[in-house]
Amino acid sequence: MAGKLYLVPTPIGNLKDITLRALEVLQSVDIIAAEDTRQSLKLLNHFNIKKILISYHKFNELGKSEDIIRQVKEGKNIAIISDAGTPGISDPGSVIVSKCIEQNIEFVVLPGATAITTALVYSGLDTTKFVFRGFLPRENKERKPIIDDLINRSETLIFYEAPHRLLSTLEFLYENIGNRKISMCRELTKLYEEIIRLTLEQAIEYYKQNSPRGEYVLVVEGKSKEAIDKDERAKWDSLTIEEHIQKYMDDGINKKDAMKLVAKDRNLPKSEIYKHSLKL
């Protein structure tokens, strides 16, 4: 009889944030696969959990996933944990989930601690929609396409960042998306938890004077409706109304609907657009 695989979230800082269900699973499984066995041992010892620990991290997860699945098929119950938070979210875990789905292996994902939602609520920014991109690449040439894809999004943007790269990332964001509001959440749930809400420009100045410490979650304001509308209007400034109508018609839209779209784009009465349409 096959065993079962569990993906178990662990506290992002305060050990009291572990769930009763997570403790129950960790107590019951045969093996625990941990991102860093030394780090996980501190957690397990705190709750007096004695289990076989194996290493499962981003450098070995491709090969290790197959081995774990083999053991699950043989009847072993195995839990996967990361150093902190939910496996699969900027941590090892997504590879084995994909393999389990491919091979029709049953697995269970437990709910639990994650820095994303904690930081989002702390930020005071829009929580109804957000985009999480984890750690940006180190090199500007690699992260530029990512930010170009996000620059016009109205959703709140969430990133992770290490202290030694924080200032560089803040400067990169400021140069590419402008002076938006940002909430910097440091050491969440830990003793020195700190939430700083500034603009990107203010944040750069702050961290030029104060050395960043600890792990950060950056929550950045999405593009405002006003800015989106302004950019949209600017797009048509170079076109006459006739050219604007023709552009929609060239895209396969009939003249009547094209006129309605132009009226909306330019915030003009339909009668005004109609006069210009007669010149086409």
Side-chain angles (χ1 to χ4, degrees):
M1 183 178 175
K4 195 173 286 187
L5 179 72
Y6 298 88
L7 279 80
V8 182
T10 52
I12 58 176
N14 192 322
L15 295 184
K16 293 178 182 177
D17 290 334
I18 198 162
T19 68
L20 294 174
R21 187 179 173 203
L23 289 174
E24 185 180 78
V25 168
L26 293 176
Q27 289 278 16
S28 67
V29 294
D30 302 298
I31 299 169
I32 297 174
E35 184 180 10
D36 183 336
T37 53
R38 293 165 301 178
Q39 186 70 22
S40 296
L41 203 53
K42 298 174 186 176
L43 172 74
L44 299 176
N45 285 341
H46 182 83
F47 291 105
N48 197 31
I49 297 171
K50 309 295 182 184
K51 294 291 172 180
I52 297 170
L53 269 180
I54 61 172
S55 178
Y56 182 76
H57 49 71
K58 65 179 180 179
F59 301 109
N60 72 0
E61 65 175 324
L62 276 173
K64 208 73 171 182
S65 293
E66 292 291 352
D67 183 54
I68 290 172
I69 287 174
R70 177 185 57 77
Q71 293 190 69
V72 170
K73 287 179 177 178
E74 291 173 355
K76 299 288 187 184
N77 292 312
I78 301 178
I80 291 179
I81 61 175
S82 61
D83 290 348
T86 301
I89 305 294
S90 287
D91 281 324
S94 57
V95 169
I96 200 165
V97 165
S98 296
K99 288 183 178 294
C100 283
I101 293 169
E102 288 171 9
Q103 299 182 40
N104 201 30
I105 303 296
E106 186 177 0
F107 64 94
V108 178
V109 181
L110 274 64
T114 174
I116 303 167
T117 50
T118 305
L120 178 61
V121 176
Y122 258 138
S123 74
L125 298 174
D126 182 12
T127 61
T128 61
K129 54 188 187 301
F130 64 92
V131 177
F132 170 65
R133 283 311 307 252
F135 289 93
L136 287 169
R138 294 174 183 272
E139 302 296 328
N140 278 358
K141 63 181 180 181
E142 294 174 1
R143 54 187 179 181
K144 187 72 165 66
I146 295 173
I147 212 67
D148 285 347
D149 183 53
L150 298 173
I151 190 170
N152 291 316
R153 302 284 290 265
S154 62
E155 296 94 337
T156 301
L157 309 176
I158 306 177
F159 307 95
Y160 287 160
E161 196 48 276
H164 63 283
R165 291 172 49 190
L166 179 66
L167 187 55
S168 168
T169 296
L170 292 174
E171 290 173 337
F172 172 80
L173 290 172
Y174 177 68
E175 289 165 7
N176 285 274
I177 66 173
N179 193 29
R180 299 189 191 179
K181 293 178 182 177
I182 182 171
S183 172
M184 289 156 295
C185 304
R186 181 175 78 88
E187 296 290 87
L188 286 172
T189 77
K190 298 176 184 176
L191 181 62
Y192 296 106
E193 175 181 278
E194 181 180 45
I195 315 298
I196 301 175
R197 304 176 187 89
L198 299 168
T199 64
L200 276 164
E201 187 176 28
Q202 291 169 334
I204 291 166
E205 290 306 310
Y206 179 85
Y207 283 109
K208 282 180 178 177
Q209 307 296 324
N210 302 275
S211 297
R213 295 184 179 184
E215 299 298 317
Y216 286 81
V217 184
L218 309 180
V219 187
V220 184
E221 179 183 31
K223 190 168 186 176
S224 68
K225 186 179 184 303
E226 292 75 18
I228 291 171
D229 290 344
K230 183 180 177 182
D231 286 352
E232 196 64 29
R233 287 193 298 271
K235 206 166 34 173
W236 310 120
D237 285 348
S238 60
L239 300 178
T240 65
I241 292 178
E242 291 86 348
E243 289 170 336
H244 196 163
I245 297 169
Q246 188 63 54
K247 184 179 186 308
Y248 278 125
M249 291 172 65
D250 290 344
D251 290 339
I253 296 171
N254 66 55
K255 189 175 182 180
K256 184 179 179 181
D257 289 339
M259 288 163 54
K260 289 179 182 177
L261 290 170
V262 172
K264 183 180 178 183
D265 289 342
R266 292 178 177 257
N267 196 26
L268 290 173
K270 291 177 185 176
S271 57
E272 178 71 18
I273 305 303
Y274 176 73
K275 292 177 188 175
H276 287 271
S277 74
L278 296 176
K279 300 175 185 178
L280 288 175

